[in-house]
Amino acid sequence: MAETERHGILGTIVRFALRRRGIIIALAALFLGYSVYSLTKARYDVFPEFAPPEVTIHTEAPGFSPDQNEQLITRPVETAISGVGGISSMMSKSIQGLSVVTVKFATGTDVYLARQKIAERLSTLTGQLPTGIAPEMTPLTSSTGNVIVIGLTSAKLSPMQLRTVADWTVRPRLLAVPGVSKVAIFGSQDKELQVQVLPERLIKYDISLEDVISAAQKATGIAGAGFIDGANQRITIRSQGQSLTANEISQTVLEHKNGANVTLGDVAHVTEAPAPQIGGALINGKPGILMVVSAQYGANTLEVTNGLDKAIAELGPALKSQGITLYPGLFRAADFINTALHNINSALILGAILVIIVLFLYLLNLRTAAISCAAIPLSLLGSVVILEKMGLSLNTMTIGGLAIAIGEVVDDAVIDVENIFRRLRENSLLEKPLQKNVLRVVYEASVEVRSAVIYATFAVVLVFIPVLTMSGVSGRFFAPLGLAYIFAILSSLLVALTVTPALSLIMLGGKKLKGEYPC
């Protein structure tokens, strides 16, 4: 009791680690296995989530001019959502046929709760916007959400036919991959059934443009026909009046005059034609289609990419049979991640090797060098487990923090094992009557340097505290690096207080220590 009181709680931890050294080593081995498993299941990404929570509202208004969009759509949307709590900024853009409102929330805001609040406010706009126009929130993606870009070209199909294949064959298959948020298509021509009105024909037949629009809507729409109740059963009536081709729509009757029918074909050209094109896409200098696939917020980029690779491989033969050339790797975030991880892992391995060499040259003892080096995997993997539990991904910044910490995580263990080695050697040179118990020697040697170990550790940690206080994009970008470094250093302190003394007692306690200890 007196010994515990004199050395405090840290002395108690060291004493427990020495007396239960078998349990400590077993727990360390189990933790090592669990951390390796966690490493395989961790979420990988290019960069940390550096953008603040954001909600984007798109409203399509075909035919509206920019000033009409601003007055009739953008301003009502801004007014409706301006009172939502946590908004840090709001930006809007009104162009021909489209209104875009981007709402940014304060750092730390729950993005799902923010979207729910926005959706509730947008529901109050019912009846306030022009007929047939409804604002929509875009799918939620991260700041680095674009995981893959693929291209389609064809010398056999027309641009409109190629776009149809992309819309109805490729896109649904990609959206079915778990973790995919949206698939944006750029380039080529979107197929439409167009009614191209001839003004002179309208004047000739005395028909208004509203009559044409109403007739076209009725011809292409589906209305429920209800049911008929019989004595024993209810019979559902299915209507079959929808026009599906340009020829069928052109035969739609506008009105009956003088014993003859005036049809849509009499006052307009009804044809299959591409929608007005906005932007384009070139693939290797050839016109084609670009499909940008974005991942859901918080999704594992590598897992999503693997799923997309399988889907693209399944689509390959069908597309090839239609004369479509597929370019599956125009952009792949996974390639960047794998390259970055490979480079950083190489730096980690090289750094670990250099640390081991330096430790051996300094300590001139394989056992002491091995004990010190045990802190490297335990500390780094301990940091990985903590980062995973906090919901942070493994990215170039967090792994970079681990690479920076690799030279520091062995400091605590080196200080401890060096003093233990020296005290054990001095004890082995004492005369037999004065020789102390080996466990007591290791305990006193470890406790003797505990203050230096703790002060050095917290001094290093304090250096990185300012990184965690950075605000804005820089703070969200570099804070994970600082956290990874700090967690690795604190993990090395725990290892130095438990695993290092236990290993020293097992590997050095029963050995005869020869030679002069290097200064």
Side-chain angles (χ1 to χ4, degrees):
M1 175 64 73
E3 198 70 33
T4 301
E5 291 178 351
R6 185 162 62 90
H7 293 142
I9 188 172
L10 296 179
T12 303
I13 294 174
V14 175
R15 181 184 293 273
F16 176 83
L18 291 172
R19 288 181 174 177
R20 302 291 185 267
R21 51 191 176 276
I23 296 176
I24 294 297
I25 300 303
L27 290 176
L30 288 174
F31 175 78
L32 194 62
Y34 171 75
S35 57
V36 172
Y37 171 78
S38 298
L39 190 63
T40 61
K41 299 297 181 180
R43 181 165 58 92
Y44 293 89
D45 212 336
V46 183
F47 296 113
E49 186 57 46
F50 55 85
E54 180 180 292
V55 178
T56 303
I57 303 165
H58 281 193
T59 309
E60 293 188 10
F64 280 47
S65 63
D67 59 328
Q68 289 176 322
N69 269 328
E70 179 69 23
Q71 294 290 335
L72 301 177
I73 300 174
T74 303
R75 287 189 180 179
V77 170
E78 290 178 336
T79 302
I81 64 178
S82 60
V84 174
I87 293 179
S88 60
S89 65
M90 186 187 304
M91 297 175 291
S92 64
K93 181 191 301 182
S94 299
I95 61 177
Q96 182 179 357
L98 180 64
S99 167
V100 181
V101 178
T102 303
V103 185
K104 294 184 183 294
F105 288 82
T107 301
T109 302
D110 185 343
V111 67
Y112 296 102
L113 180 60
R115 289 175 66 86
Q116 179 182 345
K117 292 179 179 179
I118 293 293
E120 292 173 354
R121 290 299 185 95
L122 291 178
S123 65
T124 63
L125 292 173
T126 303
Q128 299 182 29
L129 300 179
T131 304
I133 292 177
E136 297 180 351
M137 289 187 293
T138 59
L140 181 60
T141 60
S142 65
S143 53
T144 55
N146 293 344
V147 294
I148 194 171
V149 176
I150 64 176
L152 300 175
T153 60
S154 177
K156 181 178 179 181
L157 301 181
S158 67
M160 194 164 61
Q161 291 173 324
L162 184 61
R163 177 61 183 262
T164 300
V165 173
D167 281 334
W168 298 100
T169 302
V170 181
R171 187 178 186 181
R173 180 64 186 90
L174 298 181
L175 285 173
V177 175
V180 172
S181 174
K182 65 178 180 179
V183 179
I185 301 178
F186 299 93
S188 199
Q189 300 173 347
D190 195 4
K191 179 181 176 181
E192 288 183 341
L193 287 171
Q194 296 183 356
V195 179
Q196 301 171 357
V197 179
L198 302 173
E200 65 276 10
R201 298 286 183 88
L202 294 180
I203 296 173
K204 176 182 177 180
Y205 292 106
D206 191 21
I207 293 175
S208 66
L209 185 61
E210 288 75 13
D211 294 334
V212 176
I213 295 175
S214 177
Q217 289 175 340
K218 292 178 180 179
T220 56
I222 298 178
F227 55 86
I228 299 175
D229 279 333
N232 300 314
Q233 63 180 340
R234 173 174 289 177
I235 302 173
T236 302
I237 301 175
R238 180 182 177 186
S239 59
Q240 298 283 352
Q242 184 186 25
S243 300
L244 300 177
T245 65
N247 183 55
E248 292 175 349
I249 296 174
S250 67
Q251 296 175 17
T252 301
V253 177
L254 287 172
E255 64 177 31
H256 186 77
K257 284 187 177 181
N258 302 323
N261 293 328
V262 179
T263 64
L264 279 177
D266 294 328
V267 298
H269 293 307
V270 183
T271 182
E272 292 182 355
Q277 191 168 349
I278 300 176
L282 290 176
I283 302 171
N284 290 340
K286 300 177 181 178
I289 289 178
L290 282 179
M291 305 185 72
V292 181
V293 185
S294 300
Q296 296 172 1
Y297 185 82
N300 188 323
T301 302
L302 294 183
E303 290 183 359
V304 175
T305 304
N306 291 335
L308 288 170
D309 288 340
K310 294 179 181 178
I312 292 172
E314 294 173 2
L315 289 169
L319 296 177
K320 186 176 181 180
S321 65
Q322 299 180 61
I324 298 174
T325 303
L326 174 65
Y327 299 85
L330 298 179
F331 169 80
R332 288 170 52 90
D335 292 343
F336 180 85
I337 294 174
N338 290 330
T339 301
L341 292 179
H342 173 74
N343 293 338
I344 293 178
N345 288 337
S346 299
L348 283 172
I349 294 173
L350 180 59
I353 294 173
L354 292 175
V355 168
I356 292 172
I357 294 174
V358 171
L359 285 175
F360 176 71
L361 294 177
Y362 173 70
L363 299 176
L364 292 179
N365 187 290
L366 284 176
R367 294 193 299 274
T368 55
I371 295 170
S372 301
C373 291
I376 296 177
L378 288 172
S379 302
L380 297 183
L381 292 175
S383 179
V384 170
V385 171
I386 297 174
L387 291 172
E388 182 193 9
K389 296 303 180 184
M390 291 181 63
L392 298 177
S393 64
L394 288 182
N395 49 69
T396 52
M397 302 306 295
T398 53
I399 298 180
L402 297 179
I404 297 172
I406 193 170
E408 297 284 346
V409 295
V410 294
D411 281 359
D412 296 343
V414 168
I415 294 172
D416 201 22
V417 76
E418 184 271 342
N419 199 53
I420 292 173
F421 184 90
R422 181 169 59 87
R423 291 301 186 189
L424 284 174
R425 184 178 178 280
E426 291 175 354
N427 185 64
S428 66
L429 297 177
L430 293 175
E431 296 181 6
K432 280 292 182 181
L434 300 176
Q435 194 169 23
K436 297 180 181 179
N437 179 272
V438 173
L439 188 147
R440 184 176 182 83
V441 172
V442 175
Y443 170 76
E444 292 182 349
S446 183
V447 171
E448 185 179 15
V449 295
R450 77 189 189 285
S451 297
V453 169
I454 294 173
Y455 294 153
T457 299
F458 281 96
V460 172
V461 168
L462 287 174
V463 173
F464 269 77
I465 293 298
V467 177
L468 305 183
T469 62
M470 297 172 66
S471 60
V473 175
S474 57
R476 296 175 65 85
F477 202 81
F478 289 103
L481 182 147
L483 286 174
Y485 183 88
I486 289 173
F487 290 150
I489 296 301
L490 294 179
S491 298
S492 71
L493 175 60
L494 181 61
V495 171
L497 292 174
T498 56
V499 178
T500 300
L503 282 175
S504 298
L505 182 58
I506 293 173
M507 299 180 67
L508 302 177
K511 306 294 181 180
K512 186 175 181 181
L513 306 177
K514 299 179 180 180
E516 292 294 329
Y517 192 78
C519 297

